[in-house]
Amino acid sequence: MSLQSEIGTFVAAVLNYFDTAVQQPAVVGTPYLALGKAPEVFDYTGMIRISGKRKGVVYFTAPKGMLSVMLMRMQETDMSDANLRDLVGEVANTLSGNARKDFGRNFIISTPSVVAGSSTTIGYSPDTRPIVVPIDWRAYHANLVVCLN
Amino acid sequence: MKRRRHDFDLAQLLPVVVATTFAAVLTLLLTLGIQRASQLQSASSALQLASELRSLPQYFGTELTLVQRGLESRTFIGEPLADIAAAREGFDKALERIDTDLIGAGLGGTVEIQRVRGALDAAWARFSPLLVAVDSHKGTPYSDTLSGSRLNSTGRALKSDVDAALAAQDESMRDVGGALKDLATGLQDAVGDRGGSLRSFLMIGAAVSGLLLALMLYFALRSRRAADDARRAERQVADILGTVREGLFLLDRNLSLGHVYSASLTRILHTEQVRDTSFEDLLRPLVPAKTLATAMKFVNLLWKEKVHEDLIDTVNPLNQIEVQFAKSGGGTDSRHLSFAFKRVKNAGGQGEHLLGIVTDVTDRVQISRELEQSKAENQAQLDLVMQLLQVPGAQLQSFVRDSDMALRKCNAILKQPGREESELRSKLNGVFREVHTIKGEAGAMALTAIASRVHQLEESLVALRDRARIDGNDFIPIVVKLDELMSYLGGVGQFADRLSEVQPKGDTMKSVVPPLLANQMLAADTPSLEQVLAKVVKETASAHGKRVALQCRGLEAIPAPYRKAARDITIHMARNAVVHGIETPDNRASASKSETAAVRVSFDDAGAEGYVLTVEDDGQGLPYERILDAALRKGLVSPADAARMERPAVYGLIFRAGFSTAETVTEHAGRGVGLDAVSQTVRDLGGSIGIATSDGKFTRFRMKLPQAVSQAGAAHVA
């Protein structure tokens, strides 16, 4: 499976989450490489780590406002930190599920984890250029970052 | 195989044959038994009648005596007479019934019985008329007188008949009794005989029934064993079909799939609708219509006995096909499937089915491709090293630096906001220009390995540009290839750094590269623009079968801030001139022109008006109609606009992104990027482009550049 297909799987997972869980489609911007500095991290980030045929990290990072509106769309009234963490965790879980289904046994995918705070540093191999896929939803902007060698 | 099949049929039929035979025998025995029973019944009836008749002679004697004494005593004799008549008629009827029973008992034709029966008839025939004479008298036998009753004539006649009957009675009755006794004896024998036969039949029938029961039990046990074996075999087949990784199925002559297929088939084909589905319907969503038609022809050919299936397998269109399956979460999954077919023949050697075997060979194909790619990359790396060794280190470093900047610019373009279709296409064209420039630079330095690598990215950009609609998702392949290209050029940069370290040290370089190459490297200084253009023109002309002489003037006077831009511009335009402007030698000769064309590149200082960079060729001129046709074909202008356009506006179309009049795409032309990039570069520098052309004579591009180079412009082209 090529890196291109793998990124496609992750993008499809995120878009599908917006279509089905949030019931309002998101739009993918033009992907680009994070050169020179680490990609921007928003308030909440759900990530999975991958080893095996490829190594690296894939994460969905979104601002608090966006996640709060997503929760509202999902008929949730609890906008607590825990619930926002659960939401990005759920997106990361979708990334993990799709990856497990599509990539096969050559990939080992970690349990999804969640970090909060825009000053968080997410570690990745310095030999790798992260590919940032902008995810636009309503007036909000999130990023899907794929950093695999 | 044939013998085994035959045995199988016999084994199946044997219980039926045995059961039928035994049933026929039993039926026969029962029929015979019934017949014997019927005969026995008739014989018994006849015997009973014969036995009953044996008492009648004595009865007749008694009744006759009663009549005689009645006549003598002049008493009433009507009753004994009636009894005689009734007994006689009863005897006659009994004889008739005996005859019927004898026929029923199958004794009608028996000689002994017939003889006895004849004797009885004869004896009865002698006595019966005497009885008839007696019992047929009517009227009163007495006449009353004064002296009492006397026999009248009737009485006397009756008495005479009675006396006669009594006189004959002893002898006749002895004959009748004897005959009846013989008949009874004969009938007793017959009853015994029929009873014995019936017993025999019943015993044989019982024995046959017992044997049949035993055989049926045997066959039932055998059938159960066979059924157990069949169930076991069925389970084993199910285990095999459930475990095997290949998709196995059978096709009948209608090319429909049977009920039995391996579990993997539905997994490989991503469908549960397999049973009773036609093979064509199964393939339709997987392959293009043309491949489907060819595949069906191929499968139909396999039914022809004369066709050698191993030989025809070499043209199997389904030997390896790439198919797309929709993924549940959206998107598609590309898989490679391999179909193979084998004839399945019956015992008579006739083709009954085709065994289809479908395998998911995606992993194998990928490994094979990776291997091929690895080989190609190794070769490309070797070629690259050889090419890099021929380029001066400083020049190579400059190229790598410029390329890296161009790729970063591509990335910056992608990073810009903008999700609308027009914005995405603008980004696409921006990336296109940068990439094309890198390719042009690489080509000019004869770094074909790098040019080829950049060409791959260009291919992806072309594919995207030709789509009717594009979205951000479509840029994923672009950014992946951009990443790969950056890594690739990073490696080239590292090589260039090392090369620049060793290049001044001739002895050291000689130790790491072949002497001839080392000498070339030492001799080579950074080539001038004129040298680069000469190389570009020569290679492009050679590739297109043209003869071109390059004439350059004033290029060494190009100010430093303009050198990079002038280099990019002139490379593009000189290559364009050779590909599009210059005719082939034959065409030039037929147009009374020199077979060797001229391309002139000049740079002039126009004082306060700035600089003028000119690229000119003495070719066929700009083809007005072809430009317009190409613009219409690519949708750059509407037909209505095209009809209103003046010639200068039409010529201006050649600077539009995506424009090209080339029919085919080559490394030198056809992308519709070169002049777009030139135009953009000139605009970025604050300059302008003018075109002068004459059909069949020349085309001249004059690029006016401002005298003072702005910081922004310099930064853009640096």
Side-chain angles (χ1 to χ4, degrees):
Chain A
M1 201 171 199
S2 64
L3 178 61
Q4 175 187 325
S5 304
E6 287 150 16
I7 297 171
T9 292
F10 294 125
V11 172
V14 172
L15 293 183
N16 190 49
Y17 186 84
F18 277 90
D19 282 347
T20 55
V22 187
Q23 299 202 330
Q24 192 170 35
V27 178
V28 175
T30 45
Y32 58 90
L33 300 168
L35 299 175
K37 59 177 184 177
E40 190 178 5
V41 175
F42 297 116
D43 301 326
Y44 291 89
T45 303
M47 76 178 94
I48 55 170
R49 292 201 174 271
I50 292 175
S51 56
K53 189 180 174 186
R54 290 191 197 282
K55 289 184 177 60
V57 61
V58 178
Y59 58 90
F60 173 78
T61 181
K64 183 177 179 181
M66 178 177 181
L67 296 171
S68 301
V69 180
M70 283 169 71
L71 282 176
M72 284 179 208
R73 288 276 312 170
M74 296 160 81
Q75 313 296 321
E76 287 277 347
T77 51
D78 179 4
M79 305 295 163
S80 65
D81 177 69
N83 228 17
L84 295 169
R85 281 171 174 269
D86 281 352
L87 183 56
V88 284
E90 207 173 309
V91 177
N93 204 32
T94 307
L95 293 173
S96 169
N98 274 38
R100 282 177 210 279
K101 193 171 62 183
D102 286 4
F103 296 172
R105 59 185 180 280
N106 293 329
F107 288 78
I108 301 162
I109 295 154
S110 75
T111 309
S113 58
V114 174
V115 292
S118 57
S119 58
T120 308
T121 304
I122 295 174
Y124 59 87
S125 166
D127 301 334
T128 315
R129 293 183 200 88
I131 293 176
V132 181
V133 184
I135 306 288
D136 293 341
W137 181 72
R138 295 166 74 113
Y140 298 99
H141 174 78
N143 279 341
L144 171 71
V145 180
V146 180
C147 188
L148 298 174
N149 64 6
Chain B
M1 184 67 188
K2 187 176 178 181
R3 175 65 179 274
R4 195 180 292 175
R5 179 64 178 265
H6 187 62
D7 290 347
F8 172 76
D9 288 342
L10 267 185
Q12 292 284 90
L13 283 176
L14 191 58
V16 178
V17 171
V18 169
T20 308
T21 307
F22 275 72
V25 169
L26 275 176
T27 305
L28 180 63
L29 288 171
L30 283 174
T31 306
L32 290 171
I34 289 167
Q35 188 188 19
R36 284 292 184 272
S38 174
Q39 288 178 338
L40 182 61
Q41 187 183 20
S42 297
S44 299
S45 174
L47 178 59
Q48 189 179 356
L49 283 171
S51 300
E52 286 171 3
L53 289 178
R54 285 179 67 185
S55 62
L56 278 181
Q58 192 179 354
Y59 178 78
F60 282 125
T62 305
E63 292 300 317
L64 285 170
T65 303
L66 284 173
V67 172
Q68 187 182 46
R69 287 180 184 169
L71 286 172
E72 287 170 355
S73 59
R74 312 297 188 259
T75 57
F76 180 69
I77 57 166
E79 190 175 345
L81 283 176
D83 289 343
I84 289 170
R88 179 182 54 77
E89 287 172 4
F91 199 99
D92 285 338
K93 286 181 182 172
L95 286 178
E96 286 174 11
R97 282 174 58 194
I98 285 173
D99 286 342
T100 306
D101 287 341
L102 286 175
I103 292 169
L107 298 168
T110 309
V111 176
E112 182 57 23
I113 293 293
Q114 285 301 317
R115 187 190 62 75
V116 174
R117 181 67 186 84
L120 177 60
D121 280 346
W124 178 247
R126 285 192 300 277
F127 186 59
S128 179
L130 297 172
L131 293 174
V132 170
V134 172
D135 64 33
S136 60
H137 280 281
K138 304 294 179 193
T140 307
Y142 309 118
S143 298
D144 291 336
T145 64
L146 291 175
S147 56
S149 294
R150 289 187 178 182
L151 290 175
N152 59 18
S153 58
T154 304
R156 284 192 293 274
L158 176 60
K159 189 171 183 315
S160 172
D161 288 339
V162 170
D163 291 345
L166 281 170
Q169 189 250 338
D170 285 344
E171 187 183 355
S172 296
M173 283 305 101
R174 190 172 56 248
D175 293 344
V176 170
L180 283 169
K181 185 184 173 188
D182 291 345
L183 181 62
T185 306
L187 286 170
Q188 273 181 339
D189 292 345
V191 166
D193 182 45
R194 297 298 185 268
S197 294
L198 179 59
R199 192 165 50 249
S200 299
F201 285 136
L202 290 176
M203 285 176 68
I204 295 170
V208 170
S209 297
L211 189 57
L212 179 60
L213 182 64
L215 282 169
M216 287 300 105
L217 278 173
Y218 166 72
F219 286 130
L221 285 173
R222 207 176 73 165
S223 172
R224 182 172 176 175
R225 248 198 325 268
D228 287 345
D229 289 347
R231 269 196 297 276
R232 200 176 302 118
E234 198 175 323
R235 272 201 306 275
Q236 287 172 354
V237 169
D239 288 345
I240 291 170
L241 291 178
T243 310
V244 69
R245 295 184 66 180
E246 289 82 8
L248 304 179
F249 56 93
L250 286 174
L251 289 178
D252 60 18
R253 283 194 175 271
N254 296 323
L255 300 186
S256 285
L257 272 78
H259 287 202
V260 181
Y261 47 84
S262 65
S264 297
L265 185 64
T266 54
R267 179 181 54 77
I268 292 173
L269 298 181
H270 288 63
T271 177
E272 295 297 326
Q273 302 296 323
V274 172
R275 178 180 289 196
D276 292 334
T277 303
S278 78
F279 187 55
E280 191 170 5
D281 288 344
L282 201 66
L283 279 184
R284 188 167 286 115
L286 303 181
V287 297
K290 193 175 176 184
T291 308
L292 178 65
T294 313
M296 296 314 294
K297 278 182 192 169
F298 170 77
V299 176
N300 277 313
L301 270 181
L302 287 169
W303 285 109
K304 296 186 177 173
E305 292 294 329
K306 289 180 182 174
V307 175
H308 196 294
E309 61 183 336
D310 289 337
L311 286 179
I312 197 177
D313 193 46
T314 56
V315 293
N316 178 2
L318 303 176
N319 186 38
Q320 188 175 300
I321 53 171
E322 185 172 5
V323 298
Q324 305 291 330
F325 293 112
K327 290 198 285 191
S328 55
T332 57
D333 184 16
S334 175
R335 310 295 296 175
H336 291 266
L337 303 184
S338 170
F339 285 81
F341 301 92
K342 282 281 176 191
R343 289 188 188 123
V344 180
K345 294 183 177 176
N346 61 16
Q350 301 294 315
E352 268 190 348
H353 288 98
L354 291 179
L355 171 65
I357 306 162
V358 54
T359 317
D360 189 330
V361 293
T362 307
D363 290 345
R364 195 176 73 200
V365 170
Q366 276 184 352
I367 290 170
S368 172
R369 281 184 180 173
E370 283 170 12
L371 197 63
E372 287 295 319
Q373 194 179 345
S374 174
K375 279 183 187 172
E377 279 176 3
N378 286 342
Q379 184 59 45
Q381 286 212 336
L382 191 62
D383 292 346
L384 176 65
V385 169
M386 295 305 291
Q387 289 167 8
L388 293 178
L389 285 172
Q390 296 185 54
V391 179
Q395 190 185 351
L396 195 56
Q397 280 178 316
S398 169
F399 166 75
V400 170
R401 220 172 19 250
D402 293 345
S403 300
D404 184 61
M405 284 195 68
L407 292 180
R408 284 175 183 276
K409 188 175 176 185
C410 289
N411 194 54
I413 292 170
L414 291 174
K415 194 175 176 180
Q416 285 168 6
R419 312 283 179 257
E420 298 300 321
E421 176 89 16
S422 59
E423 292 170 321
L424 294 177
R425 289 201 179 274
S426 173
K427 287 184 182 187
L428 186 59
N429 289 330
V431 172
F432 227 126
R433 280 193 294 272
E434 298 302 324
V435 170
H436 194 71
T437 303
I438 298 172
K439 196 177 85 169
E441 284 283 321
M445 294 169 71
L447 297 172
T448 54
I450 295 176
S452 171
R453 193 77 180 229
V454 181
H455 189 72
Q456 290 174 15
L457 176 55
E458 252 193 4
E459 292 283 347
S460 298
L461 293 166
V462 168
L464 192 53
R465 195 179 63 186
D466 290 345
R467 286 199 192 172
R469 285 195 60 79
I470 56 173
D471 60 31
N473 229 343
D474 297 326
F475 282 78
I476 290 174
I478 306 299
V479 79
V480 169
K481 284 193 169 67
L482 187 67
D483 181 34
E484 289 170 356
L485 196 55
M486 286 187 97
S487 298
Y488 180 76
L489 289 174
V492 174
Q494 287 175 1
F495 186 87
D497 290 345
R498 289 182 188 175
L499 195 62
S500 66
E501 286 171 12
V502 298
Q503 224 168 14
K505 303 167 187 171
D507 292 341
T508 310
M509 191 165 63
K510 278 179 185 172
S511 65
V512 295
V513 295
L516 181 62
L517 211 56
N519 289 336
Q520 285 176 349
M521 289 166 64
L522 283 171
D525 289 320
T526 301
S528 64
L529 178 55
E530 186 173 346
Q531 287 172 315
V532 171
L533 289 175
K535 194 167 187 175
V536 168
V537 167
K538 184 181 173 187
E539 286 179 358
T540 311
S542 171
H544 289 79
K546 296 176 180 177
R547 289 185 203 159
V548 184
L550 176 71
Q551 299 168 20
C552 296
R553 179 174 54 77
L555 301 185
E556 65 284 354
I558 297 174
Y562 281 142
R563 279 181 198 152
K564 169 75 171 63
R567 182 186 174 91
D568 293 344
I569 291 167
T570 51
I571 286 172
H572 280 310
M573 303 209 78
R575 187 184 285 122
N576 264 8
V578 176
V579 175
H580 299 295
I582 303 299
E583 313 92 326
T584 59
D586 289 345
N587 286 347
R588 288 180 67 85
S590 59
S592 303
K593 293 164 82 172
S594 164
E595 289 187 4
T596 301
V599 171
R600 299 182 192 89
V601 181
S602 61
F603 186 82
D604 297 297
D605 186 343
E609 292 184 8
Y611 304 102
V612 178
L613 180 62
T614 307
V615 179
E616 180 180 357
D617 67 76
D618 66 346
Q620 60 192 346
L622 287 179
Y624 168 79
E625 288 182 355
R626 277 182 62 201
I627 292 170
L628 204 52
D629 285 349
L632 283 166
R633 198 168 57 246
K634 290 180 180 293
L636 298 177
V637 292
S638 67
D641 289 343
R644 289 193 296 269
M645 286 176 86
E646 299 290 335
R647 276 190 177 245
V650 172
Y651 294 144
L653 290 172
I654 64 176
F655 296 109
R656 297 275 287 271
F659 178 84
S660 175
T661 56
E663 299 291 334
T664 54
V665 173
T666 67
E667 279 203 27
H668 298 116
R671 294 280 182 240
V673 177
L675 288 177
D676 170 30
V678 167
S679 170
Q680 186 64 42
T681 306
V682 172
R683 279 202 306 273
D684 288 347
L685 293 171
S688 62
I689 303 178
I691 304 173
T693 182
S694 175
D695 283 353
K697 291 181 180 171
F698 73 94
T699 302
R700 182 186 306 124
F701 293 93
R702 283 166 60 85
M703 283 139 286
K704 289 184 179 174
L705 301 173
Q707 182 71 48
V709 181
S710 71
Q711 287 301 316
H716 177 84
V717 296

